[in-house]
Amino acid sequence: MFLFLPENSFDLRVSSEAMHYLRMGVDPYAVSLERQKAEAALGHSKGEAALGHHVFVYLYPPISIEILKVLNRVPALLRAAIFWMAYAVGFGLQLWGGSRFAPEAERHMLRFVFPLVVFFPAFVPSDTILSGNMAIPMYGAVLAAAARGWHKQRWGAFHGVVLACSFFKPPILVWLVIPLLLGSAQVVPAVAAALGGVGLFAVQKFLWAQRFAEFMSSIRYTLPLEINYSLVAMFGKFLEFIGHPSERAAVGFYIAVSLAVFGVLVYFGREFRRNNVAWQNFAAVVLVSTALFALRLKEYDLLPVTIPMALIVLCGVRNPVALIVLILGAAAVGVALVTDHVTVVDTISVVTVFLAGVCGLSAEAQASRALRAGEEAPIPRAVRV
């Protein structure tokens, strides 16, 4: 389908243009940055530039340029066919991987959930499936590897896939938090993979010094201008709204929230290892938490967590406390829409579902502990009269 809709593949166009500039011997970073500045000089607001797909800049690390040079040697039609096949397979893996986390009782509902993922990532309408962004096949591979890891308790492939994807998308390393929560046996491999990803990113500063400097300049200039659905970005916008913008406060907020979320996950990880919560329920909450750890959160980052979010909602409607959280979140979304704060809807959606999932895990753990305590209580002997 996408082969006949090239004008809609707005994210893919960024890489295509970068390859075109490389064939001309021009620096893609410099051209992208100049286009962004020229568009800003014309008076386009942040929302118009992002939502209207007017300006997209090349924001992949310098090592990706070497990969684009290799791809430039492949015939265009063959390159397009390979990419879109990989794209379709990657999205299919997202659906398959997400469905593997569904409890047996909820699997019959997945046929209604799949269309939700296509057109409503994080329950919000979006055309990101048409974007052609390479993150979609990457997340497909990561989610499929995560499903395999949960089912077989073999995480080597997951570590390798995440590390390979970090070549193009370093923030994807945050997914390594998943095996990290499953016990001490996974700490060393997860930390090693994370350090490997950070090292691969850092060494590019020395291998391609000028290219890396231009890449960082593009990052520093572009990120404040684009729409970002991450929790820390929304907090930064709130500080701007009240007239007290502060990078230091935003960093402190991010650290505090990340530590709090990680602490909650560690606690329920212990409950999971004690068999007090079902692995599917815990896994869904962990997957959604990856969106809360993100510094930059886009629609395509929300696609792989949409099925876990739907599974949490399906379970949450049967839990009174979780149901109240979901109702309050829906009300907050309504207020955001009425007051024309559309960009905060994704953030509210993710936070609401995460909190509902935590409420569900808490209730499940309490019920399991109570049941186990009742089974272990000594049976009183009959009293003779």
Side-chain angles (χ1 to χ4, degrees):
M1 176 181 70
F2 299 104
L3 287 172
F4 304 101
L5 295 172
E7 68 277 5
N8 290 322
S9 305
F10 40 87
D11 279 333
L12 178 61
R13 194 162 60 237
V14 175
S15 298
S16 299
E17 290 178 352
M19 294 173 69
H20 173 69
Y21 292 135
L22 288 173
R23 289 193 295 269
M24 296 172 57
V26 179
D27 182 3
Y29 294 120
V31 174
S32 295
L33 189 57
E34 287 303 317
R35 287 184 60 193
Q36 181 86 346
K37 291 180 178 180
E39 195 76 11
L42 294 175
H44 292 299
S45 69
K46 299 176 185 179
E48 290 173 344
L51 292 177
H53 310 314
H54 292 150
V55 182
F56 290 88
V57 297
Y58 192 79
L59 294 178
Y60 297 105
I63 193 173
S64 64
I65 298 294
E66 301 302 314
I67 299 175
L68 293 186
K69 289 179 179 179
V70 174
L71 293 176
N72 261 334
R73 301 176 182 176
V74 180
L77 286 177
L78 178 60
R79 187 171 62 229
I82 293 173
F83 175 81
W84 288 118
M85 283 191 292
Y87 193 86
V89 170
F91 183 66
L93 285 175
Q94 286 200 31
L95 298 178
W96 177 83
S99 67
R100 298 281 287 171
F101 293 96
E104 193 68 33
E106 308 294 349
R107 289 189 178 177
H108 68 286
M109 297 295 294
L110 289 177
R111 63 181 182 272
F112 303 110
V113 173
F114 285 163
L116 188 73
V117 181
V118 178
F119 302 108
F120 298 88
F123 310 151
V124 180
S126 173
D127 60 350
T128 190
I129 189 62
L130 301 175
S131 67
N133 193 290
M134 62 183 67
I136 289 177
M138 286 183 185
Y139 278 126
V142 170
L143 195 56
R148 178 184 182 274
W150 276 100
H151 279 271
K152 297 186 176 182
Q153 289 304 305
R154 297 177 181 174
W155 290 93
F158 176 79
H159 294 139
V161 170
V162 172
L163 185 59
C165 291
S166 71
F167 274 66
F168 268 89
K169 191 175 176 64
I172 208 169
L173 291 170
V174 73
W175 280 65
L176 291 170
V177 72
I178 297 175
L180 195 63
L181 296 165
L182 300 182
S184 57
Q186 297 300 327
V187 171
V188 173
V191 172
L195 292 176
V198 173
L200 286 172
F201 180 76
V203 76
Q204 296 176 59
K205 180 178 180 180
F206 305 99
L207 295 177
W208 304 284
Q210 181 179 353
R211 193 186 297 171
F212 188 86
E214 292 172 340
F215 164 70
M216 294 305 297
S217 296
S218 296
I219 291 288
R220 284 191 293 268
Y221 181 82
T222 304
L223 291 189
L225 298 178
E226 69 172 5
I227 291 180
N228 184 348
Y229 303 111
S230 71
L231 200 57
V232 65
M234 291 301 145
F235 181 73
K237 290 182 179 180
F238 172 74
L239 293 178
E240 291 182 5
F241 177 75
I242 63 176
H244 297 284
S246 171
E247 290 186 4
R248 184 174 298 179
V251 171
F253 174 82
Y254 175 77
I255 294 174
V257 170
S258 297
L259 290 176
V261 171
F262 187 73
V264 169
L265 295 178
V266 169
Y267 170 76
F268 285 112
R270 184 180 62 182
E271 295 295 324
F272 161 70
R273 292 190 294 276
R274 292 177 176 175
N275 295 320
N276 288 333
V277 296
W279 75 266
Q280 296 98 328
N281 297 335
F282 177 58
V285 174
V286 173
L287 290 172
V288 174
S289 74
T290 60
L292 300 180
F293 288 118
L295 287 169
R296 179 177 184 256
L297 190 64
K298 307 294 286 185
E299 292 91 341
Y300 46 76
D301 297 310
L302 295 171
L303 272 177
V305 301
T306 302
I307 290 180
M309 288 176 66
L311 295 174
I312 290 174
V313 171
L314 289 174
C315 294
V317 295
R318 296 191 289 268
N319 181 293
V321 179
L323 181 58
I324 292 174
V325 172
L326 293 172
I327 293 173
L328 292 176
V333 167
V335 172
L337 293 175
V338 170
T339 57
D340 198 27
H341 290 84
V342 181
T343 55
V344 77
V345 170
D346 296 77
T347 310
I348 294 174
S349 178
V350 173
V351 173
T352 298
V353 173
F354 175 77
L355 293 177
V358 168
C359 292
L361 289 178
S362 178
E364 183 181 359
Q366 290 179 7
S368 296
R369 288 194 297 268
L371 180 62
R372 188 173 288 112
E375 293 175 347
E376 294 175 354
I379 300 176
R381 297 180 180 179
V383 179
R384 292 185 180 182
V385 178

